[in-house]
Amino acid sequence: MTRNCNITIGRSFLVLFMFVSITSSSQGFLHRDGQKIVDGNGNNVLLRGLGIGGLMVQEGYMLKTADFAGPQYQIRQKITEVIGEKNTTEFYNAYKANGLTKRDVDSLAAWGFNSIRLPMHYNLYTLPIEKEPVKGKNTWLEEGFKMTDELLDWCAANKMYLILDLHAAPGGQGMDANISDYDTSKPSLWQSTANQDKIVAFWKKIAERYKDKTWIGAYDIINEPNWNFSGTNQNGCDETKNEPLRALQLRITKAIREVDTNHLVIIEGNCWGNNYKGMFPLWDGNMALSFHKYWSNNDLATIQDIINLRKEHNVPIWLGESGENSNVWFQEVLHLVESNNIGWAFWPMKKIENIAGVNNVKETEGYRKLLEYWKTGKNKPSVEEAKATWMQIAENFKMENVTVKYDVIDAMFRQVNSTETKPYQKHQLPGKIFATEYDLGRINYAYSDTDYQNLWVSNGGKRSEWNSGNQMRNDGVDIEKCTDKSTNGYSVIHIKSGEWLQYTVNLEQAQDFDATIRYAAEKAKGKLYLADENGNKISTIVSIPASGGNDKWTSTSLGTLSLKKGINKIRVYFEEGDFNLNYIEFNHQK
């Protein structure tokens, strides 16, 4: 396969390469300029994007079905089993319509994103090879193109670049089926010439349709290939014989260039995009290399290999996918890549019961029951009940129904280059300051916590939770739902010695307050005190009596304290932990 592809390219492609090198800087199109991505005016463009994961390609972990249905075809089978094919189609139509609208794109632009990465499933654009009426021919479907056209219009209106990413290729491009919707009962992309012909035709069709669209930023032609080409490994991470991957991406590029000499082509290595062994020399003058980064240390050493490739081959690099971690990790990785002139696209946009993203989609009681049925086989819901559940989930995916995670957005943009803290909530005194409403800001500036990120790739597979309660916020602070009679719905839990939280209060005049805390503690072990932002104590050290359990709430006094006129940054220092905190209440001194 590799040999035939190289023969086909021949001298004609060398001529095309030179032509693309000359014309790729056409006005308005993103393109390669040495090691930089620039716009039509030659200005360096630092892409700050978000991948719309789950829209065209569902992944089980985003819907909480990963334990029994990971890839999309399995998810659809599960849904069809309980509500039937007609109702399933109705759900998917609503899900896709609600999952991404102009309001979503407008919101992303307002938050600071300048690009969107669209993970495409080929089956929204063309039929699978086994369903083609005529073998070897391609039937084109309007749905995928219409969705892409609409999104492009919304991006253009916001002056945002749209990067087209083939996330699920014909047959599936990787053994990680959750990502590529790979069905092991059918030939993969790498096992089928017909699937390879279809992916080439797909990209030529895409390029022909969008060749003149300046707000199309690039073509990301195969997402996260992970394949054992040599038979010596399972996922492509140790693969040295990546010739089939190189040959297919070269063939795709050639097909694109037959109709489109304007757009940047992004390629990915094996092993989820990062293994570029055997991928050089490059074959086109308007290319960039993508790499993906998850759960690893945020130091130069972790990106040095891709930076070396940028320099050695004089080509731009792009962090095409990252995320699924804490705000601390987000701030650190984005500071790392941006300081090295590397643009990025985070992942994903919407996920059910999610703190580590810009939006959270709310789970319903009916959905919990449905998941439990699939896990245990017990208490199967009726068709009517299950359909209503799925249609409500589709409704919950609308932007107006999600919970926007402003702490995540703040970490991804403002905190990248700023140590300043900002109030999470405007606190009115006298009154309660809920513990979970501590300031927005970096760790050790707005709060301090012991466990604050997941680095399992770098630390030998040891996974850690940064927010063990997985509620409300994406920092290192542990938060769970609160059952106290007076609450904002959440409390800080698993407090450890040496941690602290900061709250900003603005007073019109200096005042003295009697302060109490609302807490729960199984043992009489905890100690805390209040201080200013410089660590100067403004209260005595208070020992926390046992309350009868970690869900038994009671109050104890912090005594009288004085706050100054203007901005007060009040820190709660936990000298000893092992208790839960609901709020601090400030009342006028009696």
Side-chain angles (χ1 to χ4, degrees), residues 118-316:
L118 176 64
M120 301 179 292
H121 198 307
Y122 84 94
N123 70 10
L124 293 175
Y125 300 82
T126 184
L127 292 175
I129 56 172
E130 65 271 15
K131 292 185 178 180
E132 286 289 358
V134 180
K135 185 178 179 180
K137 298 292 183 179
N138 293 298
T139 302
W140 300 108
L141 309 175
E142 188 59 26
E143 182 179 11
F145 293 105
K146 182 181 177 183
M147 292 175 70
T148 308
D149 290 348
E150 286 183 339
L151 177 54
L152 179 57
D153 287 343
W154 300 331
C155 286
N158 283 285
K159 294 182 170 53
M160 300 175 73
Y161 291 105
L162 175 59
I163 297 169
L164 302 182
D165 147 43
L166 186 53
H167 220 75
Q173 70 273 21
M175 294 298 294
D176 192 340
N178 297 344
I179 294 169
S180 62
D181 200 22
Y182 171 45
D183 184 345
T184 56
S185 68
K186 300 174 183 178
S188 75
L189 177 66
W190 310 109
Q191 297 166 324
S192 165
T193 301
N195 277 327
Q196 293 179 24
D197 291 344
K198 184 171 279 287
I199 192 176
V200 172
F202 168 86
W203 275 114
K204 185 172 183 178
K205 189 75 171 179
I206 288 285
E208 191 172 32
R209 189 179 185 104
Y210 300 112
K211 61 181 181 295
D212 297 322
K213 303 298 184 180
T214 55
W215 289 110
I216 292 287
Y219 304 138
D220 185 357
I221 56 180
I222 304 179
N223 173 71
E224 291 190 346
N226 53 97
W227 197 260
N228 175 9
F229 293 116
S230 64
T232 59
N233 61 85
Q234 295 299 313
N235 53 32
C237 290
D238 300 320
E239 187 65 77
T240 59
K241 297 181 179 180
N242 287 317
E243 288 87 352
L245 176 58
R246 182 182 188 274
L248 183 57
Q249 293 194 93
L250 191 152
R251 186 181 167 203
I252 291 168
T253 307
K254 178 179 182 292
I256 289 171
R257 294 300 181 225
E258 289 174 0
V259 295
D260 180 353
T261 59
N262 291 320
H263 285 102
L264 185 69
V265 170
I266 297 173
I267 65 168
E268 301 192 23
N270 205 348
C271 186
W272 292 275
N274 296 320
N275 177 0
Y276 278 92
K277 295 173 184 176
M279 295 294 290
F280 301 100
L282 298 176
W283 53 87
D284 186 81
N286 193 21
M287 296 177 69
L289 308 182
S290 174
F291 69 104
H292 293 186
K293 188 179 190 318
Y294 287 100
W295 311 300
S296 61
N297 293 328
N298 285 317
D299 53 29
L300 189 60
T302 60
I303 62 171
Q304 192 61 59
D305 287 346
I306 196 73
I307 288 176
N308 292 344
L309 291 179
R310 172 171 69 179
K311 184 176 181 180
E312 181 181 353
H313 299 282
N314 194 34
V315 63

Side-chain angles (χ1 to χ4, degrees), residues 368-580:
R368 283 188 285 272
K369 291 180 179 178
L370 184 59
L371 294 178
E372 188 63 24
Y373 159 68
W374 277 328
K375 288 177 183 177
T376 65
K378 299 177 181 178
N379 301 316
K380 182 178 181 179
S382 67
V383 171
E384 294 75 18
E385 182 183 1
K387 180 186 177 183
T389 292
W390 277 111
M391 296 308 292
Q392 185 60 55
I393 288 295
E395 187 71 15
N396 288 359
F397 267 83
K398 287 182 177 178
M399 176 57 77
E400 55 263 39
N401 295 329
V402 303
T403 302
V404 177
K405 311 299 288 185
Y406 289 106
D407 63 305
V408 174
I409 296 167
D410 190 67
M412 293 176 65
F413 290 96
R414 186 187 64 85
Q415 292 179 34
V416 171
N417 295 303
S418 175
T419 59
E420 179 188 1
T421 61
K422 295 179 64 176
Y424 179 86
Q425 188 74 266
K426 186 177 180 180
H427 302 296
Q428 299 282 354
L429 298 188
K432 297 181 178 72
I433 296 180
F434 289 101
T436 57
E437 295 173 357
Y438 58 91
D439 287 353
L440 294 167
R442 292 186 186 183
I443 191 170
N444 298 325
Y445 290 89
Y447 69 97
S448 181
D449 199 271
T450 304
D451 303 308
Y452 52 83
Q453 57 187 336
N454 185 357
L455 300 175
W456 73 267
V457 169
S458 292
N459 67 11
K462 181 182 177 182
R463 297 175 184 265
S464 59
E465 293 290 339
W466 53 94
N467 175 351
S468 61
N470 198 43
Q471 296 292 324
M472 188 176 172
R473 298 179 67 169
N474 195 43
D475 298 311
V477 180
D478 300 311
I479 298 173
E480 71 177 7
K481 292 182 179 179
C482 181
T483 58
D484 198 5
K485 59 186 178 182
S486 178
T487 176
N488 68 345
Y490 304 95
S491 60
V492 174
I493 62 170
H494 297 165
I495 294 170
K496 295 181 181 178
S497 302
E499 297 178 340
W500 54 264
L501 302 167
Q502 176 179 287
Y503 307 87
T504 297
V505 176
N506 190 357
L507 297 178
E508 293 183 358
Q509 60 185 23
Q511 297 183 58
D512 292 338
F513 294 95
D514 289 330
T516 59
I517 63 164
R518 187 74 172 174
Y519 72 95
E522 185 173 342
K523 300 176 182 179
K525 183 179 179 182
K527 293 181 180 180
L528 65 77
Y529 63 89
L530 303 189
D532 63 21
E533 62 184 308
N534 297 314
N536 301 312
K537 290 185 178 69
I538 59 175
S539 81
T540 59
I541 298 175
V542 176
S543 296
I544 307 297
S547 69
N550 289 331
D551 59 351
K552 305 297 183 182
W553 296 96
T554 190
S555 301
T556 193
S557 174
L558 292 174
T560 300
L561 54 90
S562 300
L563 298 179
K564 66 185 179 181
K565 178 182 178 180
I567 300 296
N568 291 263
K569 291 187 179 290
I570 304 169
R571 290 184 176 178
V572 183
Y573 281 89
F574 305 112
E575 192 166 272
E576 297 288 342
D578 204 17
F579 64 97
N580 300 336

Side-chain angles (χ1 to χ4, degrees), residues 49-51 61 117 224 291-296 298 319-327 329-331 333-334 344-349 351 354-358 408 412 453-457 466 474:
L50 191 65
Y61 86 99
R117 180 175 181 245
E224 291 190 346
F291 69 104
H292 293 186
K293 188 179 190 318
Y294 287 100
W295 311 300
S296 61
N298 285 317
L319 177 57
E321 204 174 291
S322 190
E324 301 290 10
N325 217 308
S326 70
N327 287 343
W329 196 89
F330 290 175
Q331 178 273 316
V333 73
L334 294 179
W344 48 269
F346 253 46
W347 182 270
M349 183 174 177
K351 192 167 74 172
N354 174 41
I355 61 170
V358 298
V408 174
M412 293 176 65
Q453 57 187 336
N454 185 357
L455 300 175
W456 73 267
V457 169
W466 53 94
N474 195 43

